[in-house]
């Protein structure tokens, strides 16, 4: 079970949390950057990409973006409160996205999927180091997606704020079987309280 799961269960109980994700002021910028990554890396034009899996789907906005760019793909992911997410995304998307009610640590410990595209967007930075390391190893050795898109925080160990009520951690994303084919720095600004050198990156990896 993820180390910070209790904090996120409390956050998810807020009636406004999913709505806040849907209406985040920088959402448009983030989605433009993700779209640019998916296009520039060739994923959108890859006819073999038929399935997308995202960890920590939140309001499902990233999966919706993937569907708009690649209408034929199937969508799946995990989060703690799938029933609340389904209520917010509406009937149009209810049967298009398979959201599993399971935390990410348990997902990788108990499940194996083989998506063509795997995504973690603003999620891994809220997980503990062990969970992310285990997830990367499972992706590399068992899940083996063709592409991996990571949009997370670039932080040093000293910048990580594990003890806050919204933990953000920097991680090493070790993927020995993959080549990085896209790397960009996000224009989304970090919180004012973070130290210099903190930013969001967007990287795409392709399996060799």
């Amino acid at each position: 079970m993820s180390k910070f799961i209790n904090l996120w269960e409390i956050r998810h109980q807020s009636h406004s949390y999913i709505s806040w994700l849907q209406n985040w002021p920088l959402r448009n910028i983030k989605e433009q950057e993700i779209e640019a990554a998916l296009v520039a890396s060739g994923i959108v034009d890859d006819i073999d990409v038929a399935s997308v899996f995202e960890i920590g789907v939140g309001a499902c906005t990233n999966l919706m973006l993937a569907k708009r760019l690649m209408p034929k793909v199937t969508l799946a992911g995990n989060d703690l409160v799938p029933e609340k997410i389904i209520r917010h995304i509406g009937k149009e998307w209810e049967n298009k996205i398979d959201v599993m009610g399971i935390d990410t640590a348990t997902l990788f410990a108990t499940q194996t999927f083989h998506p063509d595209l795997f995504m973690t967007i603003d999620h891994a930075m809220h997980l503990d180091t062990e969970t992310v390391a285990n997830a990367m190893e499972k992706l590399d050795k068992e899940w083996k997606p063709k592409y991996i898109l990571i949009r997370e925080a670039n932080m040093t160990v000293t910048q990580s704020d594990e003890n806050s009520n919204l933990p953000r951690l920097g991680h090493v994303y070790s993927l020995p079987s993959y080549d990085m084919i896209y790397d960009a720095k996000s224009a989304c600004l970090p919180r004012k309280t973070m130290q210099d050198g903190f930013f969001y990156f967007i990287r795409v990896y392709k399996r060799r």
Side-chain angles (χ1 to χ4, degrees):
M1 184 175 292
S2 300
K3 181 177 179 181
F4 307 125
I5 188 171
N6 291 338
L7 292 174
W8 284 102
E9 285 177 336
I10 293 171
R11 184 171 290 269
H12 277 2
Q13 293 310 312
S14 167
H15 294 294
S16 61
Y17 179 65
I18 301 299
S19 178
W20 178 86
L21 291 175
Q22 291 175 316
N23 298 289
W24 183 48
L26 298 179
R27 174 182 165 184
N28 287 340
I29 296 175
K30 183 182 76 169
E31 289 189 355
Q32 290 170 8
E33 294 174 342
I34 294 170
E35 178 175 350
L38 292 171
V39 171
S41 61
I43 296 174
V44 169
D45 294 325
D46 189 336
I47 61 174
D48 293 327
V49 175
S51 58
V52 181
F53 192 104
E54 181 185 14
I55 53 173
V57 299
C60 294
T61 55
N62 304 315
L63 290 175
M64 292 175 183
L65 173 62
K67 188 72 169 180
R68 289 195 293 270
L69 296 173
M70 301 173 286
K72 295 183 180 180
V73 298
T74 60
L75 306 174
N78 74 298
D79 215 302
L80 296 177
V81 285
E83 65 285 346
K84 184 173 290 189
I85 291 169
I86 294 300
R87 285 201 301 272
H88 274 80
I89 64 177
K91 292 293 184 180
E92 176 188 358
W93 292 96
E94 184 174 350
N95 297 320
K96 296 179 182 179
I97 304 176
D98 180 13
V99 183
M100 291 166 281
I102 186 174
D103 72 281
T104 298
T106 304
L107 172 76
F108 280 104
T110 62
Q111 306 288 324
T112 301
F113 296 93
H114 300 288
D116 298 305
L117 169 61
F118 172 89
M119 303 193 301
T120 173
I121 299 173
D122 299 347
H123 179 68
M125 65 180 178
H126 298 307
L127 302 174
D128 59 275
T129 301
E130 182 180 0
T131 294
V132 173
N134 290 341
M136 293 302 108
E137 183 176 13
K138 191 85 175 272
L139 283 170
D140 192 79
K141 295 181 178 179
E142 298 183 30
W143 287 39
K144 301 179 182 179
K146 184 174 184 179
Y147 298 100
I148 296 175
L149 185 149
I150 300 176
R151 194 272 192 189
E152 296 290 350
N154 185 82
M155 305 171 68
T156 66
V157 173
T158 56
Q159 289 171 320
S160 296
D161 54 351
E162 182 173 332
N163 295 319
S164 75
N165 62 355
L166 180 61
R168 284 180 172 86
L169 283 76
H171 298 292
V172 175
Y173 297 93
S174 179
L175 296 162
S177 302
Y178 288 79
D179 294 320
M180 187 190 302
I181 60 172
Y182 183 89
D183 186 13
K185 185 176 179 179
S186 174
C188 294
L189 298 176
R191 294 183 303 165
K192 294 179 180 180
T193 55
M194 302 303 294
Q195 301 177 41
D196 292 341
F198 170 77
F199 60 88
Y200 296 106
F201 64 81
I202 307 171
R203 296 170 185 158
V204 178
Y205 299 81
K206 184 176 182 180
R207 193 169 184 86
R208 288 193 291 274

